[in-house]
Structures are given as structure tokens and as C-alpha cells.
Amino acid sequence: SKLVNDATALKHFYERMIQENAMETVVQSVVEVVKNSDWSSELERELEDMRLSVSENFVLRVLKELRGKGLPLKALSFFKWVGESLGYEHTSVTYNGMLRILCKGEVVTEFWSMVKEMKDAGYEIDIDTYVKVMREFQKSMMVKDAVELYEHMMDSPFKPLEKECSLLLRAIAYARDPDLDLMLRVVKKYEDAGYCLLKNDYDGIHRCLTSVGKFDEAEKIIETMRNAGYEPDNITYSQLIF
């Protein structure tokens, strides 16, 4: 109908769709090979025979599929293989994608190794990854790892929102055995970054102290809170009564 712009747009859309479908087929083939075998030189040869065209999007798709199948170590092996054997240079995006897979308790050692490798390569954890990983750490009651991640991010260009301090203090307080050292580390990192404690932060510290029976220290925090201009309220006293 001589709609030139629409015809061009449709052609480009169709070409992209064909490329996406072709990539998806290769992704599924790779995932099937990796999923059904232990990582070995034979598996690597099988992947090499596929003559893969590796891109950022391709790596992310494979990692996402392996994550969905609950195979974090195989995802890590694939991540390392494309870098070492295919010469692919990982980006901030692929590193962050890998971290989201390694935030489970059984592979948390690999998570921290990847954080170091990423930093050595000149890349930082982005805020979206931080939020997702922190949520997983807190859900799994991995409080120490949550605090270490918070400290890492507070030293990076991508600092968490101020409210993260009180949320983390709450997570520490609700742990089975609240660790006051972790509480002090969070508060110190927060204040070193130039922030002032807010009412929610004081309540978090107060909750940590009362949770372990440190009532004298909790009373001092209430006094400090008053001096900072925040009056204790039903939240503060309810925690003490509980």
C-alpha cells in the first residue's frame, strides 16, 4: 500500500525475530548439553564443535536457563569456559548476571570469589543486582553475607539507599542469634559514608540490643535517640515489652 516506513519497520522487526529465534535454538542446545553431562573435556569439545557465536545477550540467556534449572555450578563452568576457551571478554552485565546465580548458600564461596574477580576486572555490582542478591541473602537468613555485601556496596560508586541500613539492622535483630558485632559494622559503615542515623535506624539498633537482653545498652540508645531529636514511640516500647 506504499506505506514505505511501515514496510521498512516490519522488515527490520521480522529480521530481528529470525535472529532471536535462531539464537534461542542455539541457547537451548547448549543448555541441554551442559545440563545432561558432568563438566569435562569431552563436554567442552562438544560445545566447541557447535562453533558458537558468543555475545553478551547469548551468555545471559544461557546463564538464565541454567539458573532456572538450579544448576549454579554448571552456569559458573560455562561462564568461565566462554572466557578462557572462546576468548570472550566478560562485561559488567555478564558478571552481574553470574552473581545473581551464585547468591545461594551452597555456592556463596563462589559468589565472593566472583565479586573479587569482577572488581579486579574493573567492574562493580550494580544496584539492581545488589537488591536481588540482598533479598536472597535475607530470605535465606545469610545475615553475615548480607552485611559484607552492604559494606562492599557502601565502598563502591553505587551506594544503597539510606533505608537499607534500618532494613539490615532489622534482619540482624530477627536472626536466631543476633550478632551485635554485625550491627556495629553496619552502623559504622553507614556513618562513615556521611549519613546520620534516623528514627528507623535507632529502632533497629534498639531491637538488636533488646533481642539479646542488653537492656541497659538499649536504654542508652533510647537516650541517644532523644538527644538526636527522635522521641521513642509505640514501636520502640513495643519491642522492649516484647
Side-chain angles (χ1 to χ4, degrees):
S1 300
K2 297 182 181 179
L3 299 173
V4 179
N5 290 340
D6 296 281
T8 302
L10 179 59
K11 179 182 178 182
H12 290 329
F13 172 80
Y14 181 75
E15 289 172 349
R16 284 199 305 272
M17 184 178 69
I18 293 297
Q19 292 172 354
E20 291 288 307
N21 288 342
M23 180 188 290
E24 186 61 27
T25 300
V26 178
V27 166
Q28 293 304 324
S29 298
V30 170
V31 170
E32 283 302 306
V33 169
V34 174
K35 180 185 72 171
N36 294 321
S37 306
D38 292 331
W39 199 273
S40 63
S41 56
E42 289 78 11
L43 184 149
E44 291 182 357
R45 279 196 294 272
E46 190 172 351
L47 291 175
E48 288 168 0
D49 290 342
M50 298 173 72
R51 300 187 181 281
L52 302 174
S53 177
V54 183
S55 65
E56 186 178 89
N57 191 22
F58 176 78
V59 173
L60 286 178
R61 286 188 179 205
V62 173
L63 293 180
K64 182 178 179 182
E65 286 293 322
L66 291 172
R67 177 186 184 180
K69 291 175 170 51
L71 302 170
L73 290 179
K74 289 193 173 184
L76 179 60
S77 294
F78 174 79
F79 180 93
K80 291 182 176 180
W81 176 76
V82 294
E84 295 168 0
S85 298
L86 300 187
Y88 177 73
E89 188 172 337
H90 285 291
T91 66
S92 174
V93 174
T94 55
Y95 272 114
N96 276 280
M98 192 67 245
L99 288 180
R100 297 183 193 192
I101 298 174
L102 295 175
C103 59
K104 304 289 184 180
E106 66 273 16
V107 289
V108 73
T109 300
E110 286 80 4
F111 172 88
W112 289 112
S113 294
M114 184 59 61
V115 170
K116 183 180 184 307
E117 179 183 326
M118 181 178 179
K119 191 167 185 63
D120 290 343
Y123 298 116
E124 301 285 351
I125 302 174
D126 64 42
I127 285 295
D128 192 45
T129 297
Y130 167 78
V131 170
K132 288 180 169 60
V133 172
M134 183 63 81
R135 187 181 301 138
E136 182 62 36
F137 281 169
Q138 293 185 3
K139 184 177 73 174
S140 303
M141 301 301 290
M142 298 165 64
V143 181
K144 182 174 181 292
D145 292 289
V147 170
E148 289 180 4
L149 180 60
Y150 178 78
E151 290 174 322
H152 177 89
M153 292 300 289
M154 290 296 279
D155 290 332
S156 79
F158 307 111
K159 290 179 172 51
L161 296 174
E162 290 186 54
K163 67 177 182 179
E164 288 293 316
C165 176
S166 58
L167 292 175
L168 197 48
L169 290 173
R170 178 175 299 194
I172 294 169
Y174 287 153
R176 183 174 299 173
D177 185 18
D179 188 328
L180 296 186
D181 179 60
L182 293 180
M183 177 199 76
L184 293 173
R185 283 167 56 181
V186 171
V187 173
K188 183 178 186 307
K189 187 60 68 173
Y190 183 77
E191 292 184 322
D192 286 349
Y195 296 124
C196 295
L197 293 172
L198 304 176
K199 171 67 167 57
N200 287 341
D201 303 324
Y202 283 113
D203 280 335
I205 298 170
H206 182 260
R207 187 180 292 110
C208 289
L209 293 170
T210 55
S211 294
V212 295
K214 300 282 187 180
F215 297 111
D216 291 340
E217 290 86 343
E219 185 61 33
K220 291 176 183 176
I221 284 296
I222 291 180
E223 189 60 33
T224 303
M225 184 168 68
R226 278 200 182 97
N227 293 336
Y230 301 109
E231 282 298 319
D233 55 17
N234 61 322
I235 295 175
T236 313
Y237 289 119
S238 292
Q239 182 59 37
L240 181 61
I241 291 168
F242 177 79

